[in-house]
């Protein structure tokens, strides 16, 4: 383990409905301190973004939640936490398993236009600042068959032809996550933003989008301070929040 305070040790639980739900309960009970990591081999009711489910085959993939106490972050700066997590995942996949991983705004990780990981971050606020965050990550590792409805999903094994030991992979990933969290704590926002856009799928490319039942082309030119996507269109710059816009791949 190469971390100072993240997952020392990881708390592995045989089966859980959702590691995020479990971690949130520990936060409420006061038993989850900075750096606690809860992972499960069998997640039976995984939660995805905007009320979706996260489906994962038992014992084949990583499903875990990390608790931090980012009290140094204002509520208006929450998106930098998403950036930190996405940067950790894309960096980890690039450097440890040599995959051309990119971030699909706001917090999915893609390899060759297929989703390899999803992130669900749940923050608790105290006044104007964050008190706790639960960072839930589902990373497809050894699964090589996906249900039809997940046709655009992939895994590390599908891309590398190798099987991985989940516990070892998680330990390695946590060192990437902790490093990014420390960057966040040091408020290296400009550098994080530059690295996020450098690793952003479709950044600075002419692409087709849909929003409000309209199809239009435009170029992603950045993310604003509250995490909204900036798309330059013929009608000028437009700002979109999560789920207000979709990419036509
Ligand atoms: C998404 O892409 O919709 C986000 C998926 C997040 C799934 C992970 S798996 C571990 C953690 N526990 C949950 O219930 N969800 C997250």
């Amino acid at each position: 383990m190469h971390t100072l305070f993240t997952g020392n040790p990881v708390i592995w639980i045989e089966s859980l409905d959702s590691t995020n739900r479990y971690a949130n309960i520990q936060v409420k009970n006061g038993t989850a301190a900075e750096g606690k990591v809860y992972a499960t081999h069998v997640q039976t009711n995984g939660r995805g973004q905007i009320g979706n489910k996260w489906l994962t085959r038992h014992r084949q993939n990583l499903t875990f939640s990390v608790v931090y106490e980012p009290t140094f972050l204002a509520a208006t700066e929450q998106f930098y936490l998403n950036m930190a997590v996405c940067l950790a995942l894309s960096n980890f996949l690039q450097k440890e398993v040599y995959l051309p991983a990119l971030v699909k705004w706001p917090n999915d990780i893609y390899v060759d236009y297929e989703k390899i990981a999803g992130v669900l971050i749940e923050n608790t606020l105290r006044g104007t600042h964050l008190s706790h965050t639960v960072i839930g990550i589902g990373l497809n590792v050894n699964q090589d068959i996906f249900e039809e409805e997940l046709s655009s999903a992939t895994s590390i094994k599908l891309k590398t032809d190798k099987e991985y030991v989940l516990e070892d992979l998680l330990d390695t990933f946590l060192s990437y996550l902790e490093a990014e969290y420390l960057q966040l704590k040091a408020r290296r926002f400009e550098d994080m933003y530059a690295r996020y856009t450098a690793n952003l799928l479709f950044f600075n490319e002419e692409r087709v989008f849909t929003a409000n039942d309209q199809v239009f082309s435009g170029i992603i030119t950045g993310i604003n301070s509250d995490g909204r996507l900036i798309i330059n269109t013929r009608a000028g710059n437009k700002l979109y929040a999560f789920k207000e816009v979709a990419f036509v791949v």
Side-chain angles (χ1 to χ4, degrees), residues 2 12 83 191 216 228 249:
H2 307 289
W12 277 95
M83 280 192 193
D191 173 69
F216 61 94
R228 282 188 291 170
V249 183

Side-chain angles (χ1 to χ4, degrees), residues 207-211 214-220 231 245-248:
R207 282 277 154 186
V208 179
F209 302 88
T210 57
Q214 291 197 324
V215 180
F216 61 94
S217 71
I219 299 174
I220 298 175
I231 303 180
V245 65
F247 302 81
V248 181

Side-chain angles (χ1 to χ4, degrees), residues 17-22 38 40 43 45-56 62-65 107-109 115 117-122 134-139 242:
D17 54 353
S18 150
T19 58
N20 261 41
R21 205 182 77 85
Y22 186 81
Y38 305 96
T40 189
Q43 183 168 260
N45 196 13
R47 307 202 306 222
Q49 292 154 15
I50 51 154
N52 288 335
K53 283 199 183 313
W54 181 255
L55 301 172
T56 179
L62 280 172
T63 45
F64 61 97
S65 300
N107 44 14
D108 289 336
I109 306 298
K115 181 161 167 173
V119 178
L120 176 67
I121 299 179
E122 297 177 299
V134 170
I135 299 166
I137 297 178
L139 172 61
F242 186 35

